[in-house]
PDB file of all heavy atoms in Angstrom:
ATOM      1  N   LEU A 113     -25.060 -23.581   5.376  1.00 91.00           N
ATOM      2  CA  LEU A 113     -26.331 -23.844   4.699  1.00 91.00           C
ATOM      3  C   LEU A 113     -26.123 -24.732   3.467  1.00 91.00           C
ATOM      4  O   LEU A 113     -26.792 -25.753   3.324  1.00 91.00           O
ATOM      5  CB  LEU A 113     -26.959 -22.525   4.292  1.00 91.00           C
ATOM      6  CG  LEU A 113     -28.274 -22.587   3.524  1.00 91.00           C
ATOM      7  CD1 LEU A 113     -29.343 -23.225   4.413  1.00 91.00           C
ATOM      8  CD2 LEU A 113     -28.686 -21.175   3.084  1.00 91.00           C
ATOM      9  N   LYS A 114     -25.238 -24.309   2.575  1.00 92.00           N
ATOM     10  CA  LYS A 114     -25.034 -25.045   1.359  1.00 92.00           C
ATOM     11  C   LYS A 114     -23.689 -24.663   0.760  1.00 92.00           C
ATOM     12  O   LYS A 114     -23.044 -23.712   1.137  1.00 92.00           O
ATOM     13  CB  LYS A 114     -26.133 -24.758   0.358  1.00 92.00           C
ATOM     14  CG  LYS A 114     -26.181 -23.331  -0.106  1.00 92.00           C
ATOM     15  CD  LYS A 114     -27.295 -23.104  -1.109  1.00 92.00           C
ATOM     16  CE  LYS A 114     -27.357 -21.620  -1.499  1.00 92.00           C
ATOM     17  NZ  LYS A 114     -28.397 -21.364  -2.472  1.00 92.00           N
ATOM     18  N   ALA A 115     -23.274 -25.485  -0.248  1.00 94.00           N
ATOM     19  CA  ALA A 115     -22.047 -25.239  -0.993  1.00 94.00           C
ATOM     20  C   ALA A 115     -22.415 -24.947  -2.456  1.00 94.00           C
ATOM     21  O   ALA A 115     -23.234 -25.634  -3.023  1.00 94.00           O
ATOM     22  CB  ALA A 115     -21.120 -26.418  -0.898  1.00 94.00           C
ATOM     23  N   LYS A 116     -21.777 -23.903  -2.985  1.00 94.00           N
ATOM     24  CA  LYS A 116     -21.964 -23.584  -4.407  1.00 94.00           C
ATOM     25  C   LYS A 116     -20.621 -23.729  -5.086  1.00 94.00           C
ATOM     26  O   LYS A 116     -19.567 -23.484  -4.492  1.00 94.00           O
ATOM     27  CB  LYS A 116     -22.448 -22.149  -4.582  1.00 94.00           C
ATOM     28  CG  LYS A 116     -23.834 -21.893  -4.045  1.00 94.00           C
ATOM     29  CD  LYS A 116     -24.382 -20.546  -4.468  1.00 94.00           C
ATOM     30  CE  LYS A 116     -23.493 -19.401  -4.081  1.00 94.00           C
ATOM     31  NZ  LYS A 116     -24.062 -18.066  -4.320  1.00 94.00           N
ATOM     32  N   ALA A 117     -20.673 -24.145  -6.360  1.00 95.00           N
ATOM     33  CA  ALA A 117     -19.437 -24.265  -7.159  1.00 95.00           C
ATOM     34  C   ALA A 117     -19.655 -23.579  -8.497  1.00 95.00           C
ATOM     35  O   ALA A 117     -20.698 -23.695  -9.110  1.00 95.00           O
ATOM     36  CB  ALA A 117     -19.152 -25.744  -7.357  1.00 95.00           C
ATOM     37  N   TYR A 118     -18.621 -22.847  -8.914  1.00 95.00           N
ATOM     38  CA  TYR A 118     -18.695 -22.168 -10.215  1.00 95.00           C
ATOM     39  C   TYR A 118     -17.279 -21.916 -10.721  1.00 95.00           C
ATOM     40  O   TYR A 118     -16.305 -21.856  -9.959  1.00 95.00           O
ATOM     41  CB  TYR A 118     -19.476 -20.849 -10.119  1.00 95.00           C
ATOM     42  CG  TYR A 118     -18.984 -19.900  -9.044  1.00 95.00           C
ATOM     43  CD1 TYR A 118     -18.013 -18.958  -9.359  1.00 95.00           C
ATOM     44  CD2 TYR A 118     -19.446 -19.969  -7.757  1.00 95.00           C
ATOM     45  CE1 TYR A 118     -17.526 -18.071  -8.391  1.00 95.00           C
ATOM     46  CE2 TYR A 118     -18.990 -19.104  -6.767  1.00 95.00           C
ATOM     47  CZ  TYR A 118     -18.056 -18.141  -7.107  1.00 95.00           C
ATOM     48  OH  TYR A 118     -17.582 -17.312  -6.130  1.00 95.00           O
ATOM     49  N   ALA A 119     -17.181 -21.834 -12.054  1.00 94.00           N
ATOM     50  CA  ALA A 119     -15.911 -21.547 -12.698  1.00 94.00           C
ATOM     51  C   ALA A 119     -15.958 -20.094 -13.205  1.00 94.00           C
ATOM     52  O   ALA A 119     -17.028 -19.610 -13.582  1.00 94.00           O
ATOM     53  CB  ALA A 119     -15.665 -22.502 -13.838  1.00 94.00           C
ATOM     54  N   SER A 120     -14.812 -19.453 -13.247  1.00 91.00           N
ATOM     55  CA  SER A 120     -14.792 -18.046 -13.656  1.00 91.00           C
ATOM     56  C   SER A 120     -14.957 -17.891 -15.173  1.00 91.00           C
ATOM     57  O   SER A 120     -15.352 -16.836 -15.639  1.00 91.00           O
ATOM     58  CB  SER A 120     -13.489 -17.387 -13.204  1.00 91.00           C
ATOM     59  OG  SER A 120     -12.381 -18.081 -13.721  1.00 91.00           O
ATOM     60  N   ASN A 121     -14.611 -18.924 -15.923  1.00 92.00           N
ATOM     61  CA  ASN A 121     -14.772 -18.862 -17.382  1.00 92.00           C
ATOM     62  C   ASN A 121     -14.773 -20.293 -17.953  1.00 92.00           C
ATOM     63  O   ASN A 121     -14.559 -21.251 -17.244  1.00 92.00           O
ATOM     64  CB  ASN A 121     -13.670 -17.996 -18.042  1.00 92.00           C
ATOM     65  CG  ASN A 121     -12.286 -18.495 -17.726  1.00 92.00           C
ATOM     66  OD1 ASN A 121     -11.963 -19.675 -17.871  1.00 92.00           O
ATOM     67  ND2 ASN A 121     -11.427 -17.580 -17.278  1.00 92.00           N
ATOM     68  N   ILE A 122     -15.029 -20.380 -19.250  1.00 94.00           N
ATOM     69  CA  ILE A 122     -15.141 -21.706 -19.887  1.00 94.00           C
ATOM     70  C   ILE A 122     -13.779 -22.429 -19.918  1.00 94.00           C
ATOM     71  O   ILE A 122     -13.757 -23.672 -19.866  1.00 94.00           O
ATOM     72  CB  ILE A 122     -15.774 -21.579 -21.283  1.00 94.00           C
ATOM     73  CG1 ILE A 122     -16.236 -22.945 -21.749  1.00 94.00           C
ATOM     74  CG2 ILE A 122     -14.824 -20.971 -22.250  1.00 94.00           C
ATOM     75  CD1 ILE A 122     -17.353 -22.909 -22.722  1.00 94.00           C
ATOM     76  N   PHE A 123     -12.699 -21.682 -20.002  1.00 91.00           N
ATOM     77  CA  PHE A 123     -11.384 -22.330 -20.003  1.00 91.00           C
ATOM     78  C   PHE A 123     -11.128 -23.080 -18.696  1.00 91.00           C
ATOM     79  O   PHE A 123     -10.744 -24.249 -18.698  1.00 91.00           O
ATOM     80  CB  PHE A 123     -10.283 -21.252 -20.236  1.00 91.00           C
ATOM     81  CG  PHE A 123      -8.887 -21.771 -20.096  1.00 91.00           C
ATOM     82  CD1 PHE A 123      -8.351 -22.628 -21.050  1.00 91.00           C
ATOM     83  CD2 PHE A 123      -8.109 -21.414 -19.001  1.00 91.00           C
ATOM     84  CE1 PHE A 123      -7.064 -23.138 -20.899  1.00 91.00           C
ATOM     85  CE2 PHE A 123      -6.843 -21.889 -18.861  1.00 91.00           C
ATOM     86  CZ  PHE A 123      -6.309 -22.760 -19.812  1.00 91.00           C
ATOM     87  N   PHE A 124     -11.386 -22.419 -17.566  1.00 92.00           N
ATOM     88  CA  PHE A 124     -11.183 -23.067 -16.290  1.00 92.00           C
ATOM     89  C   PHE A 124     -12.196 -24.178 -16.048  1.00 92.00           C
ATOM     90  O   PHE A 124     -11.895 -25.199 -15.472  1.00 92.00           O
ATOM     91  CB  PHE A 124     -11.234 -22.060 -15.132  1.00 92.00           C
ATOM     92  CG  PHE A 124      -9.992 -21.247 -15.027  1.00 92.00           C
ATOM     93  CD1 PHE A 124     -10.004 -19.862 -15.162  1.00 92.00           C
ATOM     94  CD2 PHE A 124      -8.772 -21.856 -14.797  1.00 92.00           C
ATOM     95  CE1 PHE A 124      -8.843 -19.120 -15.069  1.00 92.00           C
ATOM     96  CE2 PHE A 124      -7.605 -21.113 -14.673  1.00 92.00           C
ATOM     97  CZ  PHE A 124      -7.644 -19.771 -14.849  1.00 92.00           C
ATOM     98  N   ARG A 125     -13.422 -23.983 -16.556  1.00 93.00           N
ATOM     99  CA  ARG A 125     -14.431 -25.059 -16.430  1.00 93.00           C
ATOM    100  C   ARG A 125     -13.953 -26.295 -17.155  1.00 93.00           C
ATOM    101  O   ARG A 125     -14.117 -27.415 -16.671  1.00 93.00           O
ATOM    102  CB  ARG A 125     -15.776 -24.626 -16.982  1.00 93.00           C
ATOM    103  CG  ARG A 125     -16.823 -25.744 -16.904  1.00 93.00           C
ATOM    104  CD  ARG A 125     -18.222 -25.279 -17.190  1.00 93.00           C
ATOM    105  NE  ARG A 125     -18.804 -24.457 -16.137  1.00 93.00           N
ATOM    106  CZ  ARG A 125     -19.216 -24.951 -14.995  1.00 93.00           C
ATOM    107  NH1 ARG A 125     -19.113 -26.216 -14.693  1.00 93.00           N
ATOM    108  NH2 ARG A 125     -19.750 -24.169 -14.067  1.00 93.00           N
ATOM    109  N   SER A 126     -13.358 -26.146 -18.331  1.00 93.00           N
ATOM    110  CA  SER A 126     -12.874 -27.305 -19.076  1.00 93.00           C
ATOM    111  C   SER A 126     -11.728 -27.976 -18.371  1.00 93.00           C
ATOM    112  O   SER A 126     -11.518 -29.215 -18.532  1.00 93.00           O
ATOM    113  CB  SER A 126     -12.472 -26.908 -20.510  1.00 93.00           C
ATOM    114  OG  SER A 126     -11.324 -26.052 -20.465  1.00 93.00           O
ATOM    115  N   LEU A 127     -10.968 -27.268 -17.581  1.00 92.00           N
ATOM    116  CA  LEU A 127      -9.872 -27.843 -16.800  1.00 92.00           C
ATOM    117  C   LEU A 127     -10.338 -28.356 -15.427  1.00 92.00           C
ATOM    118  O   LEU A 127      -9.535 -28.861 -14.658  1.00 92.00           O
ATOM    119  CB  LEU A 127      -8.777 -26.814 -16.591  1.00 92.00           C
ATOM    120  CG  LEU A 127      -8.035 -26.351 -17.846  1.00 92.00           C
ATOM    121  CD1 LEU A 127      -7.045 -25.235 -17.481  1.00 92.00           C
ATOM    122  CD2 LEU A 127      -7.297 -27.518 -18.493  1.00 92.00           C
ATOM    123  N   LYS A 128     -11.636 -28.174 -15.119  1.00 92.00           N
ATOM    124  CA  LYS A 128     -12.255 -28.593 -13.850  1.00 92.00           C
ATOM    125  C   LYS A 128     -11.683 -27.785 -12.666  1.00 92.00           C
ATOM    126  O   LYS A 128     -11.502 -28.291 -11.569  1.00 92.00           O
ATOM    127  CB  LYS A 128     -12.084 -30.090 -13.599  1.00 92.00           C
ATOM    128  CG  LYS A 128     -12.782 -30.965 -14.600  1.00 92.00           C
ATOM    129  CD  LYS A 128     -12.560 -32.418 -14.260  1.00 92.00           C
ATOM    130  CE  LYS A 128     -13.361 -33.374 -15.045  1.00 92.00           C
ATOM    131  NZ  LYS A 128     -13.194 -33.522 -16.423  1.00 92.00           N
ATOM    132  N   ILE A 129     -11.387 -26.501 -12.925  1.00 94.00           N
ATOM    133  CA  ILE A 129     -10.856 -25.623 -11.890  1.00 94.00           C
ATOM    134  C   ILE A 129     -11.882 -24.489 -11.646  1.00 94.00           C
ATOM    135  O   ILE A 129     -12.327 -23.858 -12.575  1.00 94.00           O
ATOM    136  CB  ILE A 129      -9.532 -24.982 -12.317  1.00 94.00           C
ATOM    137  CG1 ILE A 129      -8.500 -26.088 -12.629  1.00 94.00           C
ATOM    138  CG2 ILE A 129      -8.986 -24.034 -11.267  1.00 94.00           C
ATOM    139  CD1 ILE A 129      -7.242 -25.580 -13.307  1.00 94.00           C
ATOM    140  N   GLY A 130     -12.255 -24.333 -10.406  1.00 95.00           N
ATOM    141  CA  GLY A 130     -13.246 -23.322 -10.084  1.00 95.00           C
ATOM    142  C   GLY A 130     -13.217 -22.881  -8.637  1.00 95.00           C
ATOM    143  O   GLY A 130     -12.234 -23.095  -7.931  1.00 95.00           O
ATOM    144  N   THR A 131     -14.303 -22.286  -8.228  1.00 95.00           N
ATOM    145  CA  THR A 131     -14.450 -21.734  -6.872  1.00 95.00           C
ATOM    146  C   THR A 131     -15.541 -22.465  -6.120  1.00 95.00           C
ATOM    147  O   THR A 131     -16.578 -22.779  -6.713  1.00 95.00           O
ATOM    148  CB  THR A 131     -14.780 -20.235  -6.955  1.00 95.00           C
ATOM    149  OG1 THR A 131     -13.742 -19.570  -7.656  1.00 95.00           O
ATOM    150  CG2 THR A 131     -14.969 -19.612  -5.591  1.00 95.00           C
ATOM    151  N   ILE A 132     -15.313 -22.732  -4.853  1.00 96.00           N
ATOM    152  CA  ILE A 132     -16.333 -23.288  -3.963  1.00 96.00           C
ATOM    153  C   ILE A 132     -16.666 -22.221  -2.949  1.00 96.00           C
ATOM    154  O   ILE A 132     -15.775 -21.595  -2.359  1.00 96.00           O
ATOM    155  CB  ILE A 132     -15.796 -24.557  -3.274  1.00 96.00           C
ATOM    156  CG1 ILE A 132     -15.613 -25.678  -4.283  1.00 96.00           C
ATOM    157  CG2 ILE A 132     -16.767 -24.994  -2.180  1.00 96.00           C
ATOM    158  CD1 ILE A 132     -15.085 -26.919  -3.715  1.00 96.00           C
ATOM    159  N   ASP A 133     -17.956 -22.018  -2.750  1.00 94.00           N
ATOM    160  CA  ASP A 133     -18.444 -21.029  -1.823  1.00 94.00           C
ATOM    161  C   ASP A 133     -19.384 -21.740  -0.836  1.00 94.00           C
ATOM    162  O   ASP A 133     -20.457 -22.191  -1.245  1.00 94.00           O
ATOM    163  CB  ASP A 133     -19.175 -19.925  -2.587  1.00 94.00           C
ATOM    164  CG  ASP A 133     -19.444 -18.688  -1.780  1.00 94.00           C
ATOM    165  OD1 ASP A 133     -19.014 -18.656  -0.614  1.00 94.00           O
ATOM    166  OD2 ASP A 133     -20.064 -17.778  -2.298  1.00 94.00           O
ATOM    167  N   VAL A 134     -18.981 -21.845   0.438  1.00 93.00           N
ATOM    168  CA  VAL A 134     -19.823 -22.472   1.445  1.00 93.00           C
ATOM    169  C   VAL A 134     -20.512 -21.339   2.223  1.00 93.00           C
ATOM    170  O   VAL A 134     -19.841 -20.522   2.871  1.00 93.00           O
ATOM    171  CB  VAL A 134     -19.007 -23.387   2.407  1.00 93.00           C
ATOM    172  CG1 VAL A 134     -19.914 -24.032   3.428  1.00 93.00           C
ATOM    173  CG2 VAL A 134     -18.218 -24.389   1.604  1.00 93.00           C
ATOM    174  N   GLU A 135     -21.842 -21.304   2.112  1.00 91.00           N
ATOM    175  CA  GLU A 135     -22.620 -20.215   2.693  1.00 91.00           C
ATOM    176  C   GLU A 135     -23.115 -20.558   4.081  1.00 91.00           C
ATOM    177  O   GLU A 135     -23.546 -21.697   4.316  1.00 91.00           O
ATOM    178  CB  GLU A 135     -23.798 -19.901   1.805  1.00 91.00           C
ATOM    179  CG  GLU A 135     -23.433 -19.369   0.451  1.00 91.00           C
ATOM    180  CD  GLU A 135     -24.631 -19.042  -0.401  1.00 91.00           C
ATOM    181  OE1 GLU A 135     -25.782 -19.239   0.053  1.00 91.00           O
ATOM    182  OE2 GLU A 135     -24.434 -18.625  -1.551  1.00 91.00           O
TER     183      GLU A 135
END
Side-chain angles (χ1 to χ4, degrees):
L113 178 63
K114 64 181 177 178
K116 293 191 304 187
Y118 54 91
S120 57
N121 57 51
I122 196 154
F123 173 71
F124 283 118
R125 177 170 288 287
S126 68
L127 295 175
K128 296 181 172 65
I129 302 169
T131 301
I132 293 178
D133 194 2
V134 182
E135 296 180 0

